[in-house]
Amino acid sequence: MEKIKRLEATEKAIELIKRLSDKFGDLMFYQAGGCCEGTQPQCFEKGGFYLRYGDVCIGTIQGFEFWVDKDLFEYWKHAHFTLDVTDGIGAGGFSLETPYGKTFKVNYRLFTEEEVQNLKETRLNE
């Protein structure tokens, strides 16, 4: 049985990621629970954001890692993340899509009990 992914992306998000990677090269995503960015996912050039010990990689999109703050992951570990994009500038404005008038966002849904038993492994930053 194939393992259940914790992360997916909409076509709109994938199109924007391709546009950003064409311009900036390898990317990374980070979702924190802080004051400036709220819980909005941020897109950086790979290595452009320093991970904290214990942060969690929940998967990749287009080959680019998606990291979640360790405390936020603890809260959302039973949820599936779908990366999407919307028009407008999100809180903070640190993410690479900001100059394009776009903002990444995540839609969540809770895993079923069956899915929880068959989730893909996460990876910790150590």
Side-chain angles (χ1 to χ4, degrees), residues 38-92:
T39 55
Q40 171 189 335
Q42 303 285 304
C43 180
F44 301 99
E45 292 178 62
K46 186 174 183 173
F49 182 85
Y50 294 105
L51 299 170
R52 296 181 318 153
Y53 179 81
D55 286 342
V56 182
C57 182
I58 63 167
T60 60
I61 298 175
Q62 297 298 108
F64 305 125
E65 295 175 335
F66 192 105
W67 291 87
V68 177
D69 170 87
K70 63 183 178 180
D71 297 325
L72 187 66
F73 177 75
E74 196 56 35
Y75 185 79
W76 285 108
K77 67 184 173 186
H78 297 296
H80 180 274
F81 289 51
T82 300
L83 185 67
D84 200 359
V85 66
T86 188
D87 292 330
I89 297 173

Side-chain angles (χ1 to χ4, degrees), residues 5-6 8 22 32 39 46-47 50 55-56 60 75 89 94-95 102 104 107 123:
K5 293 181 182 180
R6 294 177 174 272
E8 303 282 349
D22 285 347
T39 55
K46 186 174 183 173
Y50 294 105
D55 286 342
V56 182
T60 60
Y75 185 79
I89 297 173
F94 304 117
S95 196
K102 304 288 184 188
F104 284 112
N107 298 314
R123 181 167 49 98

